[in-house]
Amino acid sequence: MSRVITKQLENRPHFVTECTLLVEGIHNGSGGPLYYPADELQRSAPRWNGIPIVLYHPVVNGVGVSAMSPEVFTNRRVGFCFGARMIGNRLVADAWLDVERLQIVDYDLFVQLNKGEGPIEVSTGLFTSNSPERGIFNGVAYTAVARTHLPDHLALLPGQVGACSVDAGCGLLRNSENRELDQFDHLAEIFPFLNDVYEPETDDAQSEEAAEEDEIVAYYFGSGGAPI
């Protein structure tokens, strides 16, 4: 089960939780439907350590760009990936999310993570060498294989759907729906102002919010939209 804990990195509080970056399979990203084999995911794992986590994919004039720039770090970066590893057919990493940066970049996302609410869609920004190979994986045909993965960033996609979606097995807090998590007391020690703005929800309010979230998640999952 996914957990969110708070740890210090460079003397700054960070939310830390496991994230599934990719699973073996066919994913339809900006390069079209590609097969991502487990052996390539395994080889790429060490390269994900230290890779920045940003809010949405950085885009300039409608074209995706690298996150490795001062502008993206200033405006979009919220953390880093560490401890990348394979678990079965899943490439996972520990997402270290800077609490103060989250409040600046996307306060709603900060609140969601503080409550341990998920799931949250993610999408990998990486360069691949696509080999024209034909085959079938789990009954689905493919014409190219994504090899030599060179990670650039991991994008958090609140309100959107990634190429490797939560339904496909990727994302943050995928198993957190029924989990009770209360980090507020600990965070309030770090950020006393939270005591003035946080109001616990009633059971009725929580039930209504859960129903609304179910509707939104179902809509996005059913939309079939491509990641941005």
Side-chain angles (χ1 to χ4, degrees):
M1 179 173 289
S2 299
R3 298 179 60 240
V4 178
I5 60 177
T6 304
K7 290 186 176 182
Q8 295 287 320
L9 177 64
E10 297 181 323
N11 296 318
R12 295 169 63 89
H14 283 66
F15 292 139
V16 181
T17 186
E18 183 180 283
C19 177
T20 298
L21 311 180
L22 282 168
V23 297
E24 180 182 17
I26 300 172
H27 305 299
N28 191 2
S30 60
L34 300 172
Y35 172 52
Y36 289 75
D39 59 343
E40 290 291 345
L41 299 181
Q42 175 73 60
R43 277 192 283 271
S44 74
R47 303 177 192 138
W48 280 98
N49 294 323
I51 291 297
I53 301 174
V54 298
L55 183 67
Y56 304 113
H57 289 296
V59 175
V60 175
N61 296 325
V63 179
V65 298
S66 171
M68 302 296 186
S69 73
E71 293 78 15
V72 174
F73 267 51
T74 298
N75 298 317
R76 292 177 179 265
R77 185 190 63 78
V78 293
F80 293 98
C81 296
F82 293 111
R85 59 209 181 270
M86 287 293 288
I87 299 179
N89 69 338
R90 299 185 299 128
L91 173 62
V92 304
D94 296 326
W96 287 66
L97 303 170
D98 189 314
V99 172
E100 295 179 5
R101 289 286 302 163
L102 281 169
Q103 293 177 81
I104 295 171
V105 176
D106 190 327
Y107 189 81
D108 289 340
L109 183 58
F110 157 74
V111 172
Q112 183 177 356
L113 286 162
N114 183 40
K115 293 180 179 179
E117 294 178 346
I120 298 172
E121 295 273 356
V122 303
S123 181
T124 54
L126 73 162
F127 301 98
T128 61
S129 176
N130 301 330
S131 174
E133 304 174 37
R134 294 181 179 274
I136 296 177
F137 181 81
N138 284 348
V140 179
Y142 60 86
T143 58
V145 178
R147 300 197 180 279
T148 316
H149 303 179
L150 299 176
D152 181 83
H153 64 273
L154 175 69
L156 304 183
L157 303 179
Q160 297 182 5
V161 179
C164 183
S165 65
V166 168
D167 271 359
C170 292
L172 277 171
L173 298 175
R174 294 185 57 251
N175 299 317
S176 65
E177 293 88 343
N178 298 319
R179 174 174 163 267
E180 293 184 0
L181 173 70
D182 185 9
Q183 300 183 91
F184 180 78
D185 289 341
H186 176 65
L187 284 174
E189 295 176 1
I190 304 172
F191 305 105
F193 76 89
L194 289 175
N195 288 305
D196 298 326
V197 300
Y198 178 79
E199 295 181 1
E201 295 180 308
T202 64
D203 291 341
D204 289 341
Q206 290 175 341
S207 298
E208 292 177 3
E209 181 180 359
E212 292 176 358
E213 181 178 354
D214 287 343
E215 292 177 1
I216 293 173
V217 170
Y219 171 78
Y220 287 127
F221 287 170
S223 68
I228 293 177

